[in-house]
Amino acid sequence: MNEIFNLSLLEVKEALKKHDLSALEVTNAFIEASEKIKKLNVYNTFTPEKAIEMAKLSQSRIDKGQGKLLDGIPVAVKDLFCTEGVLTTASSKILNNFIPNYESTVTNNLWEAGAVMLGKVSCDEFAMGSSNETSYFGNVINPWSKGKGKKLTPGGSSGGSAAVVASNAALAATGTDTGGSIRQPVAFCGVTGIKPTYGRCSRWGIIAFASSLDQAGPITKTVSDSALMLSVMSGYDQKDSTSANEETPDFLASCMENSLNNVKVGIPKEYQINGMSSEIIKLWEKGAKWLQDRGAQIIDVSLPHTNYALPTYYVIAPAEASSNLARYDGVRYGFRKSKDNLDELYSSTRAEGFGSEVQRRILIGTYVLSAGYYDAYYRKAQKVRNLIINDFSEVFNKVDVLLTPTTPTAAFELGSQQDPISMYMNDVFTVPASLAGLPAMSVPSGMSQEALPLGLQVIGKPFDEENVFKIAANLEDEAKFSFLNYN
Ligand code: GLN
């Protein structure tokens, strides 16, 4: 049975098709594996009964020769996606009793394709954070902490999603990425994840953080598994006005191309930042060499406004968050602190219901949107965002994709980054692509001196996930990364 955990999602799919494994066997194996990793604190809500019920339905379709794309594949869902009849908390006290009566479009697409839901996994509160420590339900532990004598962060905000896949307790998980929340945790946990182009996946039914940046994406071990997951998750949705009316290409086919002749890969010099460890620089150089050996042309490029991306993000994201989070007032749903008058009901519900990082974002966001400061901060940030978008457009006249490190460091110890600014620095390489709405993928590509995973990031042109998958699959091939053997 342990062999299941060495298989990729695509290999399990093949075994199910050939009746070498049954959907119930697979689901039971992952339920058991999930029970064994309780100490990692991955799940907010575990739904094994639901998984078994779904697996049975999958098997009956497979038996009739009517198996769908993801029939019998156990998937964990970030607790930011609304799931009908299943507690959805955004890892916040303010939603600790919220049971949606509707299903998000992305998760609905997964269930329609036969995927099996294992449960809802932890994240930073309202997806605000880079370490999973802002969750009301406590931090998640990175499975790579095993044998290291300390507890490491899985990254965030999709820390539960990355940890559950890395510890072999799910074949795939959904994540969301506003400024790096898929890419940074997958880099820290030694797995793979893609933030698609803004608009590729519907945001409908995903608890909003910063609406002009939020995107859903898959977290898996392999690049091809991500390609299959994303092809199911994507698609136009009339319920989301920012959803793009674009065809979903055959992402899986892009992963099979191993000649990189005629592909131009840009290396942006501004991503070489002060204080970056030499092991990350070396890995980046190695990645470029791997691609070059396969025929790609490596070109030095410049994205001159990169330095302004983080400050811009930390004006725009909190501004949108302060507006999105205004709905949690204790009146309609969620946690309520009863008081005699309405103003006190609002203020005490929000003071008790939101954690400190979320409150910080609401305060900053409200400030930068206020009449006196709007021009100085919010409008200015929008202008700088345009300069950042233009940088990318310019560069993409010369190259097809960009290659950068995913994070400036490997996973750090839980509790070691107390200062919010140093926490924000985690996303220095991921935020620019978010501001420009570009597809970007992190592939586990090497190990630090401390034997912790490191990721490389491939950034593509808008709606050109195909080239991103192609380059990522080639990096993966060369890196031959050894996944954690957790079971
Ligand atoms: N770490 C970033 C933040 O705290 C990004 C989070 C995300 O992508 N959801 O805002």
Side-chain angles (χ1 to χ4, degrees):
M1 186 58 88
N2 250 2
E3 287 105 71
I4 289 189
F5 303 114
N6 297 326
L7 300 179
S8 68
L9 185 161
L10 284 173
E11 287 164 341
V12 170
K13 178 177 154 65
E14 198 49 36
L16 286 166
K17 196 172 152 201
K18 289 203 214 130
H19 298 271
D20 290 345
L21 288 171
S22 77
L24 211 53
E25 257 177 293
V26 173
T27 294
N28 279 327
F30 283 94
I31 289 175
E32 245 174 66
S34 297
E35 274 158 0
K36 279 199 210 139
I37 59 155
K38 280 219 169 90
K39 60 177 182 297
L40 301 182
N41 195 30
V42 163
Y43 278 98
N44 284 350
T45 306
F46 186 41
T47 57
E49 301 83 16
K50 202 175 173 73
I52 288 170
E53 205 180 292
M54 290 170 101
K56 285 182 181 160
L57 290 173
S58 282
Q59 192 57 47
S60 66
R61 283 189 294 264
I62 294 171
D63 289 342
K64 285 189 219 135
Q66 294 166 353
K68 300 184 191 182
L69 273 179
L70 292 176
D71 253 324
I73 302 296
V75 172
V77 176
K78 183 175 184 179
D79 207 7
L80 204 68
F81 292 79
C82 289
T83 41
E84 190 179 353
V86 178
L87 189 65
T88 299
T89 68
S91 291
S92 180
K93 179 174 181 181
I94 213 155
L95 284 176
N96 70 359
N97 58 4
F98 174 55
I99 299 180
N101 55 7
Y102 51 85
E103 186 76 32
S104 85
T105 298
V106 162
T107 47
N108 194 51
N109 290 345
L110 290 171
W111 316 143
E112 287 283 312
V116 166
M117 173 162 122
L118 287 170
K120 306 294 289 291
V121 285
S122 180
C123 54
D124 280 297
E125 185 179 5
F126 284 99
M128 298 174 192
S130 301
S131 64
N132 220 120
E133 288 168 293
T134 70
S135 165
Y136 174 63
F137 307 106
N139 62 263
V140 171
I141 297 169
N142 187 329
W144 288 85
S145 308
K146 199 177 167 186
K148 298 278 188 307
K150 53 185 172 187
K151 289 186 177 141
L152 301 163
T153 175
S157 66
S158 310
S161 306
V164 78
V165 174
S167 58
N168 288 327
L171 280 170
T174 65
T176 65
D177 190 311
T178 303
S181 276
I182 289 177
R183 292 160 284 161
Q184 185 253 19
V186 302
F188 279 11
C189 292
V191 290
T192 304
I194 179 166
K195 177 199 91 72
T197 310
Y198 182 79
R200 180 67 90 183
C201 287
S202 167
R203 289 183 298 107
W204 195 81
I206 300 174
I207 294 172
F209 162 13
S211 307
S212 77
L213 296 153
D214 298 344
Q215 259 301 287
I219 293 180
T220 59
K221 280 202 197 136
T222 71
V223 175
S224 310
D225 288 355
S226 268
L228 179 66
M229 282 288 288
L230 185 62
S231 61
V232 171
M233 292 162 72
S234 329
Y236 174 65
D237 178 14
Q238 59 180 19
K239 289 189 279 194
D240 169 6
S241 62
T242 60
S243 153
N245 202 344
E246 292 276 338
E247 281 296 309
T248 302
D250 185 351
F251 297 136
L252 209 46
S254 309
C255 304
M256 311 301 162
E257 293 177 35
N258 50 20
S259 160
L260 299 183
N261 290 336
N262 304 323
V263 177
K264 295 191 178 108
V265 179
I267 307 289
K269 67 167 188 231
E270 290 78 8
Y271 283 59
Q272 184 109 29
I273 56 167
N274 281 344
M276 193 166 146
S277 77
S278 62
E279 57 191 13
I280 305 251
I281 297 174
K282 276 199 200 116
L283 179 72
W284 190 12
E285 288 166 355
K286 214 192 230 174
K289 178 82 176 44
W290 288 335
L291 299 178
Q292 195 173 31
D293 289 346
R294 292 192 168 209
Q297 200 181 330
I298 306 297
I299 301 172
D300 288 327
V301 295
S302 168
L303 295 162
H305 297 93
T306 301
N307 219 356
Y308 303 107
L310 263 190
T312 303
Y313 173 87
Y314 276 100
V315 172
I316 292 173
E320 294 183 18
S322 76
S323 161
N324 274 325
L325 271 56
R327 72 191 74 178
Y328 306 107
D329 55 9
V331 175
R332 283 157 293 189
Y333 50 86
F335 168 77
R336 168 197 296 221
K337 184 88 187 170
S338 286
K339 287 281 166 187
D340 296 336
N341 77 60
L342 193 61
D343 280 346
E344 274 183 39
L345 170 104
Y346 290 157
S347 56
S348 42
T349 296
R350 289 166 66 83
E352 249 186 64
F354 290 131
S356 59
E357 183 59 29
V358 173
Q359 292 191 21
R360 177 174 10 255
R361 308 273 178 122
I362 293 173
L363 288 172
I364 295 173
T366 308
Y367 179 82
V368 300
L369 288 175
S370 62
Y373 294 99
Y374 185 93
D375 284 330
Y377 293 104
Y378 185 69
R379 195 188 298 279
K380 185 65 115 334
Q382 293 291 19
K383 288 182 179 168
V384 181
R385 182 177 189 173
N386 266 330
L387 295 175
I388 291 165
I389 295 171
N390 292 343
D391 279 359
F392 280 110
S393 316
E394 284 282 311
V395 153
F396 280 132
N397 288 326
K398 295 182 215 133
V399 298
D400 303 300
V401 293
L402 297 162
L403 180 73
T404 77
T406 310
T407 55
T409 65
F412 50 89
E413 193 171 355
L414 284 161
S416 68
Q417 288 198 9
Q418 298 294 342
D419 163 34
I421 305 287
S422 69
M423 189 64 91
Y424 298 168
M425 280 303 289
N426 274 288
D427 296 316
V428 63
F429 300 143
T430 50
V431 152
S434 298
L435 288 168
L438 303 171
M441 181 160 207
S442 176
V443 182
S445 303
M447 298 294 273
S448 72
Q449 275 144 13
E450 273 197 276
L452 292 174
L454 298 172
L456 286 175
Q457 175 178 232
V458 181
I459 305 174
K461 297 176 184 174
F463 297 104
D464 187 20
E465 282 83 358
E466 285 160 289
N467 259 318
V468 173
F469 278 120
K470 177 168 146 181
I471 300 294
N474 280 279
L475 278 177
E476 174 183 56
D477 240 26
E478 291 284 344
K480 297 186 181 55
F481 183 82
S482 306
F483 294 106
L484 186 65
N485 191 356
Y486 200 77
N487 314 83

